[in-house]
Amino acid sequence: MAERAHSGPLAFPLQENPLRERRVIFRRYGRNALIAVLLSMMFYHIFVVETDWVRMGGIREIISTAAEFWPNPAFIPIIIDPLLETLLIAFWGTVLATMFAMPVAYFSARNTSPFYPVVYLFGRSIIVLSRSTHEFIFALIFVSALGLGPLPGILALGFRSIGFLAKTTSEVIENVDRDPIEAMEATGANPISVFMFGILPQIYPIVVGNVIFQLDINLRRAAILGMVGAGGIGYVFSEQMQAYEWNNAGTVVLGIAVMVIMGEAISNRIRVRLISGVGGDSKGIE
Amino acid sequence: MAYLEIHDIKKVYPTGEEALKGVDLEMNAQEVVALLGLSGSGKSTLLRCINRLVEPTSGTVFLDGVEVTAIRHRRQLRSMRQKMGMIFQEFNLVDRLTVLENVLAGCLGYTSTWRCFFRAFHREDIELAIETCDRVGLIDHFRKRADQLSGGQRQRVGIARALMQRPKLFLVDEPTSSLDPKIGREIMDLMSRLSAEDQIPMLVSVHDLGLAQAYTNRIVGLQDGIKVLDSKTSDVSSDILENIYHTVSAA
């Protein structure tokens, strides 16, 4: 409309322009029709062409197959150790990630990064690399480099989590109150002391909250890392699946669910305490 | 040579704003000097040019015979900053740290990086910090978190932190502007007392005429980055000051 205003007088008012009317009709109905056609094509492809309805059988058969995954209580003692291993992989992976994420965060926060933008871009690339690579990719790399076991799992989770922790932490660093930092600089403190006294006290509740959140996510990730040989409960699951031991596989699924729910309950409680400052003299996150 | 010598300091911010247009200032070792002027007159910039929190565009600053503006090495600059205790309008405390930790921050410049990293301060520094809390009247509060204190108490923490630096000069930026008048006078009383006891000269920016007259030996007036007044407080009659201050206000 705006460009027409300069092209001389119009033969008729805009509202009555028949061309425009036709375009509006297409926009209203044509586009919806196009979406409907595309959706039905997708539906047809997935549910008619690609699904083997004959093999699936009737509803009764589906239910009875699913029921074969009913957990086997006798398998519970066998999954305890791998579950604990999973917990440890998640824990140490998160610890490792936190250790590396803090300097990366310092380098990729605009207000603290030395020699801006050289080191800043380096830090940001680490974040992007870590966040855009699936933990299975890291796990496969470390399994081939170090062999089977929990260590490649820990490294995989560590590398996978650096990105999230460094990104969130660098954003918190960028938003700190500058006044105390100015005061620290005025005392003649060097940059590391300024960070420890001026910045860290301001950011730690949020950072600790994010680390616990990451630990919670890593517990889920650690539960499947074993499928590619990186230790933990995932290996037991794929082993039982390959042996057609559906009940045992069901037990594993139940075990993972219990562990994840417990982990989430505990981490939520800690994070709420951190944020609301219950039990401490903290006033919480501004 | 005067104790603090500022010669032809100019500051142009990257935005093009000329905050200081060539200011000269001399200060003796026993003096308390007021920097008087409205907001935007360049008081804060001048104070920060002295310890180079703001890098002056041109000009020189000498403190006790050492040319501050000639220091190129960051480490030397930091040890020079250590000798100048700065007190801020907004106190600039770390809210989440205790009063004692905030005061101890004053000796970060004296403490090795590793000790700072683990917050392992020297025993004598901790003792000095507690003593300093006592001197500023916070002995009952030094374990509290800084954000639990009132405004006046918070400024006392800021003063203790500056005192903890064992400074040769106090740079004070609008110390009472965030406080009510009564508390402001208490703070000025405290700073004058400490400055006299420890023989630390003090350059204090204020925009309150009464405070400048009551607490300083000399008044330096700034207007739009230019020095418009420099004379002994006792030599300036209230009327003249009022006049100058009003021309400043009118501008």
Side-chain angles (χ1 to χ4, degrees):
Chain A
M1 268 162 75
E3 67 270 16
R4 279 184 189 200
H6 300 285
S7 62
L10 289 165
F12 29 70
L14 275 174
Q15 268 71 24
E16 290 164 31
N17 183 340
L19 261 174
R20 189 171 179 280
E21 278 294 290
R22 219 177 287 164
R23 227 182 287 147
V24 169
I25 289 168
F26 173 74
R27 265 191 217 149
R28 248 179 233 158
Y29 302 102
R31 190 175 55 189
N32 290 355
L34 196 68
I35 291 170
V37 168
L38 280 172
L39 280 178
S40 37
M41 278 165 73
M42 286 180 212
F43 186 86
Y44 176 80
H45 187 76
I46 291 165
F47 291 99
V48 180
V49 180
E50 292 288 328
T51 306
D52 189 351
W53 290 96
V54 180
R55 189 177 164 276
M56 208 181 280
I59 288 193
R60 208 169 289 166
E61 229 170 308
I62 294 171
I63 291 171
S64 69
T65 311
E68 281 180 50
F69 280 90
W70 188 255
N72 169 16
F75 201 62
I76 291 173
I78 296 162
I79 65 168
I80 295 294
D81 267 4
L83 276 176
L84 288 176
E85 190 180 81
T86 307
L87 199 69
L88 287 178
I89 290 171
F91 178 76
W92 287 111
T94 313
V95 169
L96 186 76
T98 310
M99 277 164 52
F100 282 96
M102 291 306 119
V104 174
Y106 186 85
F107 292 143
S108 39
R110 276 188 206 88
N111 51 346
T112 53
S113 187
F115 310 113
Y116 184 84
V118 184
V119 181
Y120 170 80
L121 290 175
F122 175 69
R124 287 277 147 178
S125 344
I126 294 179
I127 291 176
V128 169
L129 195 71
S130 159
R131 276 162 59 85
S132 59
T133 311
H134 196 275
E135 55 266 24
F136 267 20
I137 312 274
F138 282 126
L140 285 166
I141 293 169
F142 288 120
V143 166
S144 40
L146 303 164
L148 300 172
L151 186 61
I154 290 170
L155 290 175
L157 286 187
F159 275 72
R160 178 69 176 88
S161 315
I162 285 173
F164 171 79
L165 290 176
K167 189 178 159 71
T168 51
T169 307
S170 71
E171 275 161 12
V172 183
I173 292 175
E174 282 176 356
N175 287 321
V176 292
D177 181 6
R178 243 216 74 83
D179 288 352
I181 297 169
E182 185 189 33
M184 298 296 148
E185 283 169 353
T187 66
N190 65 38
I192 296 173
S193 306
V194 171
F195 182 80
M196 291 307 292
F197 274 79
I199 298 177
L200 194 64
Q202 293 191 53
I203 65 171
Y204 85 83
I206 305 174
V207 172
V208 172
N210 284 338
V211 168
I212 291 165
F213 183 55
Q214 186 67 72
L215 178 63
D216 203 24
I217 293 169
N218 278 347
L219 197 56
R220 276 151 241 240
R221 288 177 178 157
I224 54 166
L225 277 181
M227 290 182 185
V228 291
I233 190 78
Y235 177 70
V236 182
F237 181 74
S238 60
E239 196 182 49
Q240 297 306 313
M241 287 294 283
Q242 274 155 21
Y244 305 114
E245 295 285 355
W246 312 124
N247 298 115
N248 293 349
T251 316
V252 172
V253 172
L254 188 71
I256 292 171
V258 169
M259 181 177 70
V260 166
I261 290 166
M262 274 166 56
E264 194 169 302
I266 293 167
S267 76
N268 270 346
R269 187 168 289 194
I270 296 173
R271 280 168 61 217
V272 166
R273 265 174 84 101
L274 267 173
I275 290 165
S276 66
V278 181
D281 57 350
S282 137
K283 275 192 181 170
I285 296 162
E286 280 83 27
Chain B
M1 194 179 212
Y3 187 71
L4 175 72
E5 247 187 58
I6 299 171
H7 182 65
D8 199 24
I9 281 283
K10 288 182 181 147
K11 175 64 190 176
V12 183
Y13 282 108
T15 51
E17 185 202 342
E18 279 184 88
L20 296 173
K21 299 167 185 165
V23 176
D24 297 279
L25 181 67
E26 287 187 6
M27 222 177 122
N28 292 321
Q30 302 298 325
E31 257 186 321
V32 176
V33 176
L35 272 179
L36 195 65
L38 297 172
S39 23
S41 59
K43 300 181 306 259
S44 293
T45 305
L46 181 60
L47 285 171
R48 282 168 175 75
C49 280
I50 296 170
N51 64 4
R52 285 173 62 188
L53 280 180
V54 169
E55 203 61 54
T57 312
S58 68
T60 53
V61 175
F62 284 89
L63 179 72
D64 206 7
V66 181
E67 189 178 354
V68 180
T69 40
I71 296 171
R72 290 285 159 264
H73 210 277
R74 296 300 295 176
R75 189 184 291 267
Q76 283 168 349
L77 177 61
R78 289 199 287 264
S79 71
M80 181 51 81
R81 278 182 183 164
Q82 199 175 297
K83 292 171 189 156
M84 301 187 246
M86 197 161 198
I87 296 163
F88 301 86
Q89 179 178 354
E90 298 292 339
F91 328 129
N92 294 16
L93 307 181
V94 184
D95 286 343
R96 265 181 232 286
L97 294 182
T98 63
V99 169
L100 189 65
E101 283 170 314
N102 269 292
V103 175
L104 277 166
C107 63
L108 286 179
Y110 293 93
T111 312
S112 73
T113 306
W114 280 111
R115 280 187 173 272
C116 291
F117 195 85
F118 293 108
R119 297 197 188 179
F121 286 98
H122 292 282
R123 192 181 177 78
E124 52 269 36
D125 282 338
I126 296 171
E127 281 164 4
L128 180 64
I130 295 173
E131 198 189 306
T132 310
C133 285
D134 193 20
R135 285 185 75 191
V136 299
L138 288 174
I139 194 66
D140 298 330
H141 304 288
F142 75 86
R143 284 175 212 280
K144 282 188 189 166
R145 261 176 60 146
D147 56 4
Q148 292 174 333
L149 302 184
S150 67
Q153 289 170 330
R154 283 162 68 77
Q155 189 57 293
R156 283 165 193 269
V157 179
I159 294 167
R161 178 174 62 194
L163 199 61
M164 194 65 195
Q165 284 173 239
R166 286 159 266 180
K168 292 178 166 183
L169 173 70
F170 274 133
L171 301 172
V172 191
D173 188 13
E174 302 260 1
T176 61
S177 299
S178 309
L179 304 169
D180 61 60
K182 182 175 167 289
I183 304 289
R185 288 197 169 259
E186 283 175 25
I187 292 295
M188 290 302 290
D189 280 334
L190 175 69
M191 286 194 304
S192 324
R193 182 164 62 75
L194 293 170
S195 159
E197 278 175 11
D198 291 15
Q199 302 189 328
I200 304 166
M202 184 157 77
L203 182 60
V204 47
S205 81
V206 282
H207 61 239
D208 183 330
L209 203 61
L211 287 180
Q213 284 179 302
Y215 291 97
T216 62
N217 315 124
R218 194 147 64 90
I219 295 180
V220 171
L222 277 185
Q223 182 185 356
D224 290 332
I226 299 166
K227 190 165 83 172
V228 292
L229 169 75
D230 188 347
S231 75
K232 285 201 162 161
T233 310
S234 50
D235 290 354
V236 191
S237 79
S238 211
D239 293 351
I240 299 169
L241 251 180
E242 199 82 43
N243 263 343
I244 290 164
Y245 196 62
H246 276 143
T247 51
V248 171
S249 317

